[in-house]
Amino acid sequence: MTNIVRSPRASVDTTSAQFAQQHAGKILGEDVAAGQPMELRPDGKLWRFAGTANSVFFGIAPRSGRTGQPMTAYGLSTQFRAADQTLTIGKTYFLSDTVGEISDTAGTKDANGSFFAVGTSDLIVTRSFGKVG
């Protein structure tokens, strides 16, 4: 399993974001970086995706944020810059077993895939708001 190298310019595509699933009004439980997958835990806060018990994959972070700040998670159908010219178009990508990362192969936290590469830098969220195990 190899994690993709997240782009320092990770960001949400504003055109797709208009029509994508959005989850507003949540507070960050820890610092997150733009483009990181997040989970919603029973405490009602957003955390970097770790696949913890009773948590659900909730979407990706559209920007970087600090603990305690509000954040809107962008879910299903969101296109976002994830890497810099290293993705394989048409390939499925997965929530990594490494906290807050995206992998190029299935692991124990995501066996089916949650992202699809539509460019060498861009992914689309294809699964969100639920258990992915």
Side-chain angles (χ1 to χ4, degrees):
M1 173 188 309
T2 303
N3 292 334
I4 65 169
V5 177
R6 192 173 46 262
S7 173
R9 297 177 296 161
S11 61
V12 170
D13 171 71
T14 55
T15 301
S16 72
Q18 294 177 70
F19 306 104
Q21 187 182 58
Q22 297 178 33
H23 309 287
K26 302 298 179 197
I27 300 297
L28 291 173
E30 65 183 330
D31 293 357
V32 298
Q36 283 192 302
M38 299 183 296
E39 66 184 19
L40 180 66
R41 293 190 186 166
D43 64 4
K45 293 181 180 175
L46 293 173
W47 301 81
R48 292 177 300 143
F49 182 82
T52 59
N54 300 316
S55 68
V56 293
F57 172 48
F58 212 55
I60 58 115
R63 61 175 175 78
S64 296
R66 300 238 180 240
T67 304
Q69 290 181 330
M71 176 72 73
T72 297
Y74 282 75
L76 194 61
S77 299
T78 302
Q79 181 173 334
F80 66 104
R81 181 181 194 98
D84 288 327
Q85 307 293 323
T86 58
L87 304 176
T88 302
I89 297 171
K91 182 177 175 157
T92 298
Y93 288 82
F94 304 81
L95 294 161
S96 177
D97 288 349
T98 304
V99 175
E101 300 300 332
I102 297 170
S103 175
D104 64 357
T105 55
T108 61
K109 306 294 182 181
D110 183 6
N112 300 313
S114 296
F115 310 95
F116 183 79
V118 294
T120 57
S121 298
D122 288 7
L123 294 174
I124 287 183
V125 179
T126 57
R127 181 183 284 242
S128 106
F129 200 59
K131 298 276 184 203
V132 293

